[in-house]
Amino acid sequence: MSSLDKKKTKIPQILIDSLTEDTKIYLSWLDKVDIDIDKNLFFAGSFNSPEYPVWPRTHDNFHFPLGMKKLLRIGFPGIKRAALEKIADSEGNEKKYLRLIYVVYQALCRKISRFAGEAREIGCKDIHKTCYEITRKAPCTFRQACQLYWFATIFRAGTATIGRLDQHLFSFYQNDLRRGTLTKEQARAFLSELLYRYEKRGAQRGDTLQNITLGGRSSAGKDQTNDLTYMILELMLENKYIEPKINVRLHEKSPDYLLELVARLQISGTGICTVYNDDAIIDGLKNYGRPAKIAADYCADGCTEIILDGYGETSFRYIDCVKAVEHAVFNGEENIVDVKGLRYYDGRQECVNIRPPVPRGKKTGNFLDMRTFREFYNAYLSQLKYQVDVMLSTAYNADDKALRPFVAATMPNVLEKVQEPYSSKSCWHTYGLFIGSLGTAANSIAAVKFLVYDQKLIKKEELLEALRNNFEGAAIVRKQCLQAPKFGNNDDYVDAIASDIAEHFASWVKKYRERTGKPILPGLYNHLFHHTAYYVGATPDGRKTGDPVGEHLSPTPGTTLDGPTSIIHSVCKIKTADHIFGSTLHLNIPLSTLKGTPDPAAILKCITRGFCLEGGCVLNINILDSVQLLEAQRHPEKYRDLVVRVWGFSYYFVGLSKEMQDHVIARSQSEWSA
Amino acid sequence: MVGLITHIQKFSVHDGPGIRTTVFFKGCPLSCPWCQNPETISSYREVQFHSEQCVGCGMCSGICSRGCFTWNGTTAFNSENCNQCGICIERCPVNALRWSGRLISTGELLHEIIKDRAYFDLSGGGVTLSGGEPLQQVEFCLELLKKLKRQGINTALDTSGYAPYRFFKKIMPYVDIILFDIKIMNEHLHKKYTKVSNSLILENFRQICMTGKRMIVRIPIIPGYTDAQVNIAEIEKFIKQQPGNIQIEKIPFNPLMAKKYQLLGKICSISERSK
């Protein structure tokens, strides 16, 4: 085959077919987007876009931001023109691919023209001018940039990750200020409306993925916190919005006022301010082959995973390290196999039947025959490795996935080199594998070590029998299990097990590559922690089936007796920068603890700084009041506005299903708060 | 040197500035009926019964010769006749019975305290010696405080004020802040409720004020005991008479402490009274 032939078949026919089909659907959907202009608002476009007729998993999963830097730099017409230019010297499927992009962006420009026309008719001069300008060229003013931002949002067909908003818009703001065409008050008013629009677009939907990432530092170490960063945080505080979700990047030299605002948001109780430690994360990303400059441009995805803003898409698989304990104890079999249906929210969501990602393990031998702890632990590790292999041997190799042209065109080198982003080496997609609830798994293994092998308090037969019966009729065994060392108390007996599992896991995942040859990223994350609670039977740490497991990297609810500093010490013994896809600690601090201190925000600031100093990556502080939560469960009508962080998202407490409510209550009840 | 403590509390944000680690010493010359830490009153270690951990096996009621336990399906503990022999603790299969109070060396204690060093430095916090009355173990305190100061850690002493003044004099060079409890101004009432006179306490207070040492006065607001307006006004007046600008903290009553009395097999007289 000649090199020319190779080039010809770069984009396979199957993708062109699937994208052509999707583009048809997309264009007819675009027709239905309202030409909505409100005289009292600054920007055109309604808050919501119409329902997309098919669930577009293969074409956009909404878990990553558009390439907003590129889109703002060249605008909708810029992309249209670039596609047109390239069409002239392309052929075959590349030509077809560019045509799809061209057609879509032409339709988008026409759509914006219709907004401009409508604005003129009803006499909204400013809106007319703004819309008209962005159909002609790249945005030049802050106002145009904000308007383009909103169009890009409603043209995305679903609520999606937003990215580094303060960085994207800053140069426009700065230029306008310099030219004297914008005042700070005006900029604040524009931002305020933009945030209000996200709040309206996301409200009442729960896991909307609308995540903004603010602040941070450049690859050269320069602080990037700017006026817009502060404005957005202040507006979120003033308005008590629950959308968009706020993520803040911090580093050693982050200004104190930034931390102050973060702390105040955390205390405000809307549960929506997750912090990221640049000093650990940027280096972590570099270790996985990400170039320094690109690594410095990371942001949060739809939850609290770490992705690269505007450099590609993201997707993840997960396996269950708590289930692997069960496999190790029961020689590859499941302890309980009954399927339970669960909901996240009350009523409006379908019940899902939950099953573990890898339900059965491999044969690693009879637990009763394992004479040393080492034998048992090795069995556990091979069970976990087995899950990694099962999951990753097939993941991220499929070549029938393609990003929707609207999204793809904003990614690096898609137009310049005419490459489909999935197979492009210029894109930096984030593909990863998660294990979460590591604390619960470590507790279970530590309990076996402590009770069966070290202290010899329980016989293996007894433990096996108790686990099989979900501790029914084995109260004494269960109490002993509950008293074995637990993760999150700065106790090396169990913390060492947790970090060892994590280290093994990262080393196994490191060997796998995605289609373009880039490493797959491990993460310590489990967004389905409440599934795990039900599909894993009783565990040797004394947990009955259905009792909560720790979410992400957090300790099991109700097992930390030594306070938040010890939780952080335990978590930071794990090299979380190796688990760079996301290793989130949810730290719950009871409101009662902070009450009566002269400056609660100062305390939270210190915890955040301390966490970063210890090398932690992602921290979410949740101020919970268990008395209030219980009261809210009894009298939901009185607590309609109570917001809690669930995993990557925050939601109204009363709107959660009973199981989710119980989980949140369990983690609010820490013994050390009494 | 070893001392007897009940508990080391990390992330303590109510016992002096910043994030602190509070060490609770066992043994107190006062016995206030509202004590928030009743396990720190006695100077000896005591049996504690954690009912939430108990499975009701009845083992303890079978072996205790002094009749501390009554069992009818569930176990109840009354420590009135207990001689702290500890046999029940040894035998309990689920560790529901535990000692309150453990001996610890200053080295071990320092090792535990130093773990949160970064948070002390970030928050302007440090260590608070509380209890109980730490000055009942003054030599131990002194050795610990010297070690802490050598590490540059901020130190606070939470005291009832009931100790010979020379004890204060001894440790003061190594203490940054004194949290000084003043409960009741009327000597008669003070003696009635706490079992000791307040004259030594107030005299110590006057003397410490003269040294210019940073002090925070803590007044527990206990309904029916210390919360009378006249009492609080008198305390405030007394403090104003002293030189220096002394901060006052009013500590609200926490009814949750009744549970701690149950652990010790005792009855919390003041929560009984409020019923």
Side-chain angles (χ1 to χ4, degrees):
Chain A
M1 207 190 280
S2 78
S3 64
L4 190 74
D5 286 337
K6 249 187 199 163
K7 205 181 161 199
K8 252 185 200 168
T9 53
K10 227 166 42 180
I11 299 179
Q13 186 59 34
I14 181 172
L15 292 192
I16 299 294
D17 293 345
S18 127
L19 287 175
T20 310
E21 182 59 28
D22 178 64
T23 301
K24 250 188 241 164
I25 303 172
Y26 182 75
L27 292 178
S28 65
W29 170 85
L30 188 65
D31 263 349
K32 287 188 227 127
V33 172
D34 285 333
I35 308 288
D36 186 5
I37 290 167
D38 186 329
K39 279 184 180 172
N40 302 315
L41 296 174
F42 296 119
F43 302 118
S46 56
F47 300 140
N48 289 305
S49 26
E51 278 297 309
Y52 203 75
V54 286
W55 177 239
R57 268 281 182 215
T58 46
H59 299 109
D60 186 359
N61 66 14
F62 306 121
H63 271 264
F64 60 96
L66 294 174
M68 283 310 291
K69 268 188 296 186
K70 181 172 178 182
L71 196 52
L72 287 165
R73 195 175 65 242
I74 60 175
F76 287 94
I79 290 183
K80 190 177 79 175
R81 248 173 267 138
L84 195 59
E85 272 167 30
K86 283 278 174 184
I87 284 175
D89 33 75
S90 301
E91 49 192 72
N93 283 347
E94 275 65 44
K95 194 169 190 137
K96 287 181 190 162
Y97 185 68
L98 288 166
R99 262 203 71 79
L100 288 174
I101 293 178
Y102 176 73
V103 169
V104 167
Y105 273 82
Q106 192 180 37
L108 293 172
C109 286
R110 280 204 195 118
K111 189 82 191 180
I112 300 173
S113 297
R114 290 183 57 198
F115 276 97
E118 176 75 14
R120 191 175 48 200
E121 257 172 49
I122 60 169
C124 296
K125 271 192 197 157
D126 288 338
I127 295 180
H128 162 72
K129 195 171 163 237
T130 311
C131 294
Y132 175 69
E133 290 293 323
I134 56 179
T135 59
R136 283 182 53 240
K137 51 187 196 328
C140 322
T141 66
F142 185 67
R143 181 172 185 152
Q144 286 169 17
C146 290
Q147 177 67 70
L148 184 144
Y149 227 101
W150 190 251
F151 279 136
T153 303
I154 54 174
F155 294 158
R156 186 98 188 253
T159 57
T161 305
I162 300 163
R164 303 182 73 192
L165 184 66
D166 60 342
Q167 305 305 316
H168 299 157
L169 293 177
F170 186 61
S171 61
F172 296 96
Y173 166 82
Q174 219 177 7
N175 288 340
D176 281 9
L177 279 191
R178 207 179 291 139
R179 284 195 293 249
T181 50
L182 180 83
T183 64
K184 285 191 179 183
E185 290 66 38
Q186 278 170 326
R188 203 184 166 85
F190 291 153
L191 275 182
S192 175
E193 181 177 318
L194 208 53
L195 294 175
Y196 174 68
R197 284 171 172 269
Y198 282 117
E199 157 84 3
K200 285 287 164 200
R201 187 171 163 85
Q204 303 295 335
R205 287 201 202 176
D207 196 1
T208 62
L209 313 175
Q210 296 197 119
N211 268 19
I212 285 183
T213 305
L214 301 171
R217 68 163 168 86
S218 69
S219 54
K222 191 173 164 280
D223 180 43
Q224 291 172 316
T225 313
N226 61 40
D227 284 3
L228 304 182
T229 320
Y230 296 132
M231 278 186 205
I232 293 169
L233 289 169
E234 285 163 357
L235 286 164
M236 291 301 289
L237 259 172
E238 279 164 28
N239 296 305
K240 293 198 158 66
Y241 291 153
I242 75 160
E243 292 272 329
K245 281 89 179 178
I246 300 293
N247 302 272
V248 176
R249 286 175 44 174
L250 299 175
H251 55 97
E252 215 188 329
K253 293 181 198 121
S254 286
D256 205 53
Y257 183 54
L258 180 64
L259 273 103
E260 171 81 28
L261 286 174
V262 168
R264 274 160 55 193
L265 256 181
Q266 287 161 339
I267 293 169
S268 76
T270 42
I272 44 161
C273 197
T274 306
V275 297
Y276 297 73
N277 178 12
D278 278 11
D279 299 323
I281 291 170
I282 293 176
D283 283 344
L285 284 166
K286 284 197 271 187
N287 286 340
Y288 281 90
R290 273 61 182 158
K293 208 165 165 262
I294 291 176
D297 222 356
Y298 80 88
C299 70
D301 95 321
C303 302
T304 52
E305 297 97 324
I306 290 160
I307 58 168
L308 299 166
D309 183 19
Y311 290 96
E313 68 129 14
T314 182
S315 174
F316 55 85
R317 302 283 194 280
Y318 85 105
I319 55 169
D320 203 299
C321 65
V322 187
K323 194 72 184 174
V325 176
E326 190 169 298
H327 291 157
V329 174
F330 291 95
N331 197 7
E333 299 297 320
E334 283 191 84
N335 185 11
I336 47 152
V337 284
D338 54 326
V339 177
K340 188 176 157 62
L342 276 187
R343 294 172 203 276
Y344 294 124
Y345 318 114
D346 265 351
R348 276 174 295 122
Q349 203 198 29
E350 290 279 307
C351 226
V352 281
N353 284 335
I354 52 163
R355 293 293 294 137
V358 182
R360 293 182 57 178
K362 64 180 208 178
K363 297 267 173 240
T364 47
N366 190 338
F367 176 52
L368 298 178
D369 299 335
M370 297 176 187
R371 269 168 305 160
T372 61
F373 169 69
R374 199 67 232 177
E375 269 181 66
F376 170 73
Y377 187 57
N378 285 341
Y380 172 75
L381 290 178
S382 31
Q383 292 291 358
L384 191 62
K385 181 163 191 308
Y386 172 76
Q387 288 198 31
V388 173
D389 293 337
V390 167
M391 200 45 84
L392 287 186
S393 53
T394 54
Y396 308 130
N397 291 320
D399 55 3
D400 58 344
K401 267 177 88 180
L403 279 184
R404 173 168 298 146
F406 167 56
V407 181
T410 66
M411 297 293 161
N413 277 344
V414 167
L415 292 167
E416 293 80 350
K417 291 197 177 162
V418 199
Q419 277 174 331
E420 202 289 316
Y422 274 116
S423 37
S424 160
K425 290 210 171 193
S426 312
C427 287
W428 291 91
H429 307 297
T430 311
Y431 296 131
L433 182 71
F434 290 139
I435 52 169
S437 313
L438 180 62
T440 308
N443 284 352
S444 300
I445 291 165
V448 173
K449 180 170 195 256
F450 183 77
L451 299 168
V452 176
Y453 294 103
D454 287 359
Q455 302 286 320
K456 299 191 170 50
L457 292 168
I458 302 178
K459 290 196 190 77
K460 282 180 232 160
E461 295 80 359
E462 272 179 298
L463 181 63
L464 209 57
E465 192 60 19
L467 294 177
R468 208 169 260 142
N469 298 325
N470 198 21
F471 292 112
E472 294 299 327
I476 294 183
V477 173
R478 176 154 187 258
K479 293 287 179 187
Q480 286 172 328
C481 290
L482 285 170
Q483 290 188 48
K486 300 279 183 267
F487 179 72
N489 295 295
N490 196 13
D491 179 349
D492 280 333
Y493 192 90
V494 51
D495 296 350
I497 294 175
S499 37
D500 190 62
I501 298 171
E503 208 178 311
H504 275 102
F505 172 68
S507 72
W508 298 326
V509 176
K510 261 178 197 160
K511 296 201 178 94
Y512 284 92
R513 293 284 181 274
E514 45 132 321
R515 244 169 69 199
T516 58
K518 291 170 186 151
I520 288 175
L521 310 186
L524 302 174
Y525 201 85
N526 179 8
H527 61 299
L528 297 175
F529 53 86
H530 91 302
H531 289 190
T532 301
Y534 287 95
Y535 65 56
V536 179
T539 36
D541 59 343
R543 189 196 129 269
K544 288 182 170 182
T545 183
D547 286 352
V549 298
E551 68 262 46
H552 312 325
L553 190 47
S554 319
T556 314
T559 60
T560 51
L561 302 162
D562 211 26
T565 50
S566 292
I567 294 175
I568 294 174
H569 298 324
S570 279
V571 163
C572 291
K573 285 176 200 168
I574 298 166
K575 228 181 132 197
T576 47
D578 258 359
H579 302 83
I580 199 64
F581 196 9
S583 308
T584 310
L585 168 63
H586 280 222
L587 190 65
N588 299 295
I589 298 184
L591 187 64
S592 54
T593 305
L594 292 179
K595 266 186 194 162
T597 59
D599 188 359
I603 304 271
L604 296 187
K605 264 158 56 181
C606 294
I607 293 181
T608 305
R609 288 257 192 226
F611 178 79
C612 293
L613 278 177
E614 289 195 45
C617 283
V618 187
L619 174 67
N620 181 57
I621 295 182
N622 227 334
I623 309 293
L624 289 175
D625 181 348
S626 60
V627 180
Q628 188 191 36
L629 294 177
L630 286 166
E631 190 62 18
Q633 209 174 30
R634 272 193 294 272
H635 304 287
E637 68 287 352
K638 288 190 208 156
Y639 293 92
R640 283 178 190 284
D641 57 348
L642 179 64
V643 178
V644 290
R645 185 87 177 193
V646 182
W647 56 89
F649 72 98
S650 313
Y651 198 62
Y652 295 102
F653 179 77
V654 298
L656 295 172
S657 64
K658 176 80 170 40
E659 288 96 346
M660 288 303 287
Q661 288 185 352
D662 287 345
H663 182 95
V664 174
I665 291 173
R667 71 183 192 208
S668 75
Q669 291 167 329
S670 302
E671 291 81 347
W672 49 265
S673 66
Chain B
M1 190 184 289
V2 293
L4 188 65
I5 63 162
T6 60
H7 183 53
I8 303 166
Q9 195 194 339
K10 310 277 175 66
F11 191 65
S12 176
V13 290
H14 297 115
D15 299 316
I19 296 172
R20 309 189 76 83
T21 293
T22 302
V23 182
F24 291 91
F25 285 68
K26 203 157 162 40
C28 185
L30 280 63
S31 40
C32 316
W34 58 80
C35 184
Q36 307 271 319
N37 303 309
E39 72 280 10
T40 63
I41 296 175
S42 156
S43 302
Y44 304 95
R45 52 179 200 171
E46 292 165 279
V47 175
Q48 267 190 331
F49 173 59
H50 294 258
S51 57
E52 77 289 349
Q53 189 65 29
C54 176
V55 288
C57 68
M59 171 83 81
C60 46
S61 69
I63 53 168
C64 180
S65 58
R66 302 183 74 94
C68 295
F69 300 95
T70 44
W71 183 79
N72 49 1
T74 56
T75 306
F77 175 51
N78 182 339
S79 63
E80 217 172 316
N81 294 322
C82 179
N83 64 351
Q84 314 295 349
C85 69
I87 294 174
C88 57
I89 292 179
E90 263 167 47
R91 295 288 190 81
C92 177
V94 292
N95 205 16
L97 289 157
R98 281 172 235 167
W99 285 119
S100 163
R102 63 173 160 132
L103 289 171
I104 192 165
S105 70
T106 50
E108 265 178 282
L109 199 45
L110 184 72
H111 176 72
E112 196 55 37
I113 287 167
I114 217 98
K115 288 178 181 170
D116 275 2
R117 174 73 198 250
Y119 296 86
F120 304 157
D121 295 349
L122 284 165
S123 67
V127 172
T128 303
L129 311 187
S130 181
E133 175 52 64
L135 292 183
Q136 286 218 331
Q137 304 178 51
V138 66
E139 291 303 329
F140 178 73
C141 281
L142 186 65
E143 191 178 298
L144 177 65
L145 287 166
K146 279 183 182 168
K147 281 187 175 170
L148 289 168
K149 283 328 288 181
R150 221 172 288 144
Q151 300 276 345
I153 293 174
N154 178 292
T155 56
L157 171 74
D158 181 9
T159 176
S160 65
Y162 197 85
Y165 184 68
R166 61 190 156 86
F167 285 9
F168 283 99
K169 230 170 137 183
K170 222 175 192 173
I171 59 132
M172 262 201 291
Y174 309 100
V175 173
D176 296 300
I177 309 158
I178 296 182
L179 311 174
F180 200 106
D181 280 21
I182 298 185
K183 299 169 174 94
I184 297 169
M185 276 312 274
N186 181 306
E187 189 178 355
H188 170 71
L189 285 178
H190 197 279
K191 198 159 184 178
K192 182 176 165 195
Y193 293 137
T194 72
K195 309 289 182 283
V196 300
S197 155
N198 62 3
S199 60
L200 176 63
I201 296 173
L202 298 180
E203 183 48 36
N204 281 336
F205 185 75
R206 269 188 218 106
Q207 295 228 34
I208 298 169
C209 281
M210 307 249 250
T211 66
K213 177 67 60 190
R214 184 175 169 201
M215 265 207 279
I216 299 174
V217 171
R218 312 221 291 179
I219 311 174
I221 308 296
I222 312 299
Y225 290 88
T226 68
D227 67 338
Q229 267 183 12
V230 51
N231 180 44
I232 294 175
E234 270 183 48
I235 296 175
E236 285 171 340
K237 192 176 140 205
F238 169 72
I239 294 165
K240 273 212 186 98
Q241 287 165 355
Q242 312 306 320
N245 192 11
I246 297 160
Q247 194 187 328
I248 300 177
E249 272 179 16
K250 291 176 186 165
I251 312 293
F253 175 63
N254 180 3
L256 284 176
M257 53 83 172
K259 206 190 150 215
K260 286 193 171 179
Y261 285 81
Q262 285 168 15
L263 290 179
L264 295 166
K266 290 179 181 163
I267 289 166
C268 175
S269 57
I270 83 163
S271 71
E272 282 298 302
R273 210 176 87 163
S274 61
K275 272 178 195 166

